[in-house]
Amino acid sequence: MDEMVQEPAAIEEPVAGEAPVAEEIGTQDGGKKPPLSKEEKKIRRERVMRVIKPWLYLLPTLVVLAVFTVWPIINTVRMAFLADLRDVSAGGDPIGYDFLKDMGGMYNFEFTFQNFAYVVGYEGFLTALGNTMLLTVVTVPVSTMLALLIAVALNSIKPLRKVFQTIFFLPYVTNSIAIGMVFMAMFQMIGYSPASPPTSVGIVNTIIEAFGGTAINWVNEGSSYWANMSVLFFYIIWNALPFKILVLLGGLQGVNKQYYDAAKVDGASRVRIFWKITVPLLSPMIAYVVITGFIGGFKEYTSIVGIFGEKYMGPPGSMGKPLNTMVGLVYDSIKSNQGSASAAALILFVIIFVVTMLNLYVSKKKVHY
Amino acid sequence: MTDTNVAVENQDIPVQAPEETPPAKKSTAVDAISRKQLAVKILVQIALYTFLTLMAITVLFPFYWMLISSVKTQGEYEATIPTFWPQQFKWENYLYLFVNVPEDNVYIANEFNLGKLFLNTVLVGVVSTLLSLVLTVLSAYAFARLEFKGKNAVFAAMLATMMLPGELFTISNYVTVSGLGWLHDGMGVFTALVVPFLVSVFYIYLLRQNFMQIPNELYLAAKVDGTSDLKYLWKVMIPLSAPTLISITILKMMGAWNGYIWPNLVGQGVFELVTVGLRGAGFQNAAGDTLYPVQMAAIVLVTLPLLLVFIFLRKYIMHGVSRSGIKG
């Protein structure tokens, strides 16, 4: 602990942090009473160690981050704005595979908007954008409203509350591809082809028929876009509920009961209490689930893969991936054309950014803190 | 909107209850009011439980359907009127996932070997979790306990990367790992599945917060006793942050188990993880018929470990989830 005495001016924490290292160096140096020069060396080395040590702790993390997080940010922008190199890739490496080779002058770094033009002009772009928007705009409000009702209901009961809470959280811990396949099985007509009637209309249609409805071709060959979309809405909402319920219920449990007492004394109606007390008091949590919901909605992809499969991204036999989303668009070209994949990813990022900013702007005005 | 009414009505019941009972004995008029209130209260409770039960059935039904379908015979699965309980349990559906059964003309295990997929996934999950924990602990320690120039700037920059969507990284990372020649063999793909996701800024943040709650006096006392930094980290900080570390472990393992996009991109056909194998398999017998009950059995085996983990380690999952909103 000599070192601490020798350097009283130093900040407390680093000195404490460095002490053992300094000691080690001290013992390495040998002798109990080293000459002054050695002592000075020791102090100098100690100082160097103090600067270096935190970086040694961070080194593995920073290396991984540099290669797989920082470089991708630069590289994605770079690939998106580079000239469209699909012709070059036909003769050799796809764009970006060998950055050093690029540096060697193989490609010119001409900045263009070709990739963006290509993505926007691509026939599947509007489909993907439309599907993504539609899925988000429908599922976020519906799932938020439903989660709010469930959370309020859960907060108002005592017996069985834990059981219900556990049940409602279950979809969160499942594999969205696997359960998507179960949804496919539930909505599917079995043994169906456009030419012949199915051997079974499937469980969902059986339930619909039991309530007097008629069977619908939800997901089989030749099914309509809106039928497919309805299945996706249902699945995505089912999947989105647990997190929203968790957050909103947490918020409700923190609400001061006095507000409700006051409202009761004033004789406010239940609808009024809900809209004038519960919703405003929960508004920070509601804003949080809506904002994360929008971000998640714009990144929707695995739900569709789970139900319809990556190959068709639509009912079996369909052409042109009718249910593709923006993220799907990125992954479609990730192996063949990283330039347009990057451009599509940047477009998606800008959309998410703008929508999040809008959300924040609205919530700043509406949220009651 | 009836559910809304119902739900809110209930908020004030605990408050109301003590008020209504004592005066009820005094006059009949008050008695009538309180009886009316009691009736409303009961009706509201019935409505609440009905609503919650209906929602719970909707949530549970896919799990139930998956379970019963997985033990149905192909004939029963295709029956015109679906049965809600298997007439005959066909446990062989589960056997088909691990071995070929020539007498039933089923060779699904050739194409979809669940044992191998499980092994691959567990291997990736365990290795990436362990390495990731080491990196997370070291970084969180540096940010929580050590003083150095640029600490706050580095930490803020790391937090800022959390705002970017993962798709932005995936494209370039695919280019990087293929450029490094990691996509040709199983070992390379294994590396590609582990390394790019070793650092999670969110977990570092979570653990740093936890470390910072440990009083500095403990650290100084350990210093006086001549304990080295690493020993202090191992003997004091890690045990004290065990709940957070367990949460990170579970969420990371769940991530490996549920991962689809990246494993599908880098490992398809070479080194497949369980979700990729599940989605890609056809589950057909030698005659070319899709055996849906066998597919359901595979889904059950993929889903079950997650449900078990959830049931037994619920507390830790909630601990991580409620702070992140990140799935896996």
Side-chain angles (χ1 to χ4, degrees), chain B residues 63 102 104 189 194 283 285 296 305:
Chain B
F63 296 108
D104 293 353
V189 171
V194 170
F283 297 102
N285 63 9
M296 287 297 137

Side-chain angles (χ1 to χ4, degrees), chain B residues 40-317:
Chain B
V40 168
K41 181 181 161 181
I42 289 170
L43 277 177
V44 163
Q45 286 286 319
I46 289 171
L48 280 175
Y49 278 99
T50 314
F51 169 65
L52 286 174
T53 308
L54 281 175
M55 293 313 295
I57 290 172
T58 314
V59 166
L60 286 178
F61 190 79
F63 296 108
Y64 164 74
W65 197 249
M66 155 186 98
L67 283 170
I68 61 158
S69 299
S70 75
V71 287
K72 283 182 177 178
T73 62
Q74 184 74 3
E76 190 179 347
Y77 186 87
E78 291 176 350
T80 309
I81 312 234
T83 48
F84 280 87
W85 191 253
Q87 293 163 332
Q88 178 193 342
F89 285 81
K90 194 185 178 202
W91 298 105
E92 287 88 348
N93 289 336
Y94 285 88
L95 186 69
Y96 296 156
L97 300 170
F98 297 94
V99 289
N100 293 323
V101 183
E103 51 268 36
D104 293 353
N105 217 3
V106 174
Y107 299 93
I108 287 171
N110 277 346
E111 162 213 33
F112 179 82
N113 191 330
L114 202 56
K116 193 171 172 238
L117 291 172
F118 277 171
L119 191 70
N120 288 353
T121 311
V122 169
L123 215 60
V124 168
V126 168
V127 172
S128 63
T129 304
L130 285 179
L131 290 177
S132 172
L133 278 177
V134 172
L135 263 62
T136 306
V137 166
L138 289 178
S139 319
Y141 180 76
F143 284 124
R145 274 286 168 267
L146 303 179
E147 288 298 334
F148 54 98
K149 254 191 193 147
K151 179 166 100 166
N152 291 333
V154 172
F155 192 60
M158 279 170 67
L159 287 181
T161 64
M162 277 173 70
M163 288 190 287
L164 297 167
E167 289 69 32
L168 274 185
F169 307 126
T170 315
I171 305 163
S172 177
N173 284 345
Y174 180 76
V175 170
T176 304
V177 294
S178 60
L180 289 168
W182 286 355
L183 301 187
H184 306 304
D185 52 28
M187 195 57 217
V189 171
F190 179 81
T191 320
L193 287 172
V194 170
V195 175
F197 302 100
L198 279 183
V199 173
S200 161
V201 174
F202 173 69
Y203 295 152
I204 294 176
Y205 170 77
L206 205 63
L207 195 61
R208 169 189 174 264
Q209 299 303 96
N210 216 302
F211 279 173
M212 283 173 58
Q213 286 167 4
I214 298 169
N216 213 16
E217 286 73 19
L218 270 181
Y219 179 74
L220 297 175
K223 283 293 109 187
V224 171
D225 292 346
T227 314
S228 78
D229 268 24
L230 280 178
K231 199 175 172 194
Y232 174 76
L233 184 59
W234 181 249
K235 293 272 181 194
V236 178
M237 293 190 86
I238 288 179
L240 282 177
S241 321
T244 303
L245 291 170
I246 295 172
S247 293
I248 294 174
T249 306
I250 296 170
L251 292 176
K252 190 87 187 155
M253 292 294 279
M254 279 171 60
W257 196 260
N258 290 335
Y260 176 78
I261 292 175
W262 180 256
N264 185 44
L265 203 59
V266 300
Q268 203 177 29
V270 184
F271 184 92
E272 292 194 336
L273 298 192
V274 71
T275 312
V276 177
L278 183 71
R279 183 64 268 188
F283 297 102
Q284 287 171 336
N285 63 9
D289 306 317
T290 304
L291 302 180
Y292 290 108
V294 181
Q295 185 191 42
M296 287 297 137
I299 296 171
V300 169
L301 290 184
V302 171
T303 309
L304 214 57
L306 290 167
L307 294 183
L308 290 179
V309 164
F310 172 63
I311 288 164
F312 291 111
L313 302 166
R314 186 165 175 255
K315 181 174 83 172
Y316 298 108
I317 297 177

Side-chain angles (χ1 to χ4, degrees), chain A residues 271-283:
Chain A
V271 178
R272 210 176 144 77
I273 290 176
F274 179 78
W275 288 110
K276 295 289 174 188
I277 297 186
T278 307
V279 169
L281 283 178
L282 270 186
S283 54

Side-chain angles (χ1 to χ4, degrees), chain A residues 23-238:
Chain A
E23 274 173 357
E24 275 167 33
I25 294 166
T27 43
Q28 275 164 14
D29 283 355
K32 295 248 170 189
K33 290 172 194 167
L36 198 70
S37 62
K38 267 197 176 178
E39 188 75 6
E40 275 175 357
K41 260 189 204 166
K42 201 170 91 179
I43 291 168
R44 205 168 298 152
R45 217 181 290 175
E46 192 187 303
R47 274 200 194 120
V48 173
M49 273 311 284
R50 182 175 309 147
V51 175
I52 290 178
K53 204 172 108 184
W55 296 103
L56 283 180
Y57 277 86
L58 286 177
L59 186 69
T61 298
L62 292 180
V63 169
V64 174
L65 276 179
V67 177
F68 294 104
T69 301
V70 178
W71 166 238
I73 297 171
I74 303 164
N75 196 25
T76 307
V77 174
R78 170 183 155 267
M79 289 192 295
F81 284 101
L82 274 180
D84 185 353
L85 291 166
R86 276 170 300 152
D87 299 339
V88 177
S89 71
D93 302 308
I95 166 180
Y97 267 47
D98 290 295
F99 178 62
L100 293 176
K101 225 186 271 176
D102 297 358
M103 295 299 277
M106 194 174 159
Y107 307 134
N108 56 342
F109 285 84
E110 193 190 343
F111 267 63
T112 74
F113 287 90
Q114 282 178 35
N115 287 316
F116 291 91
Y118 175 73
V119 169
V120 175
Y122 175 63
E123 51 185 339
F125 175 75
L126 283 182
T127 314
L129 188 64
N131 290 337
T132 309
M133 298 271 203
L134 186 62
L135 286 173
T136 311
V137 166
V138 172
T139 59
V140 173
V142 174
S143 64
T144 306
M145 198 61 216
L146 210 52
L148 187 57
L149 291 181
I150 292 174
V152 170
L154 278 175
N155 200 36
S156 317
I157 61 165
K158 274 228 171 78
L160 293 180
R161 185 201 276 184
K162 277 265 174 245
V163 176
F164 277 120
Q165 244 178 300
T166 309
I167 290 172
F168 289 128
F169 197 71
L170 278 183
Y172 194 88
V173 287
T174 53
N175 185 313
S176 48
I177 297 279
I179 300 298
M181 290 164 77
V182 176
F183 271 74
M184 176 64 164
M186 282 163 46
F187 282 93
Q188 200 173 32
M189 294 192 189
I190 299 156
Y192 172 89
S193 79
S196 69
T199 60
S200 164
V201 290
I203 180 62
V204 170
N205 276 330
T206 305
I207 294 170
I208 291 173
E209 283 177 345
F211 283 96
T214 47
I216 293 169
N217 182 358
W218 295 104
V219 291
N220 287 81
E221 202 172 336
S223 52
S224 73
Y225 175 78
W226 287 104
N228 299 162
M229 271 294 167
S230 310
V231 175
L232 284 177
F233 292 152
F234 188 67
Y235 180 45
I236 293 170
I237 291 168
W238 185 90

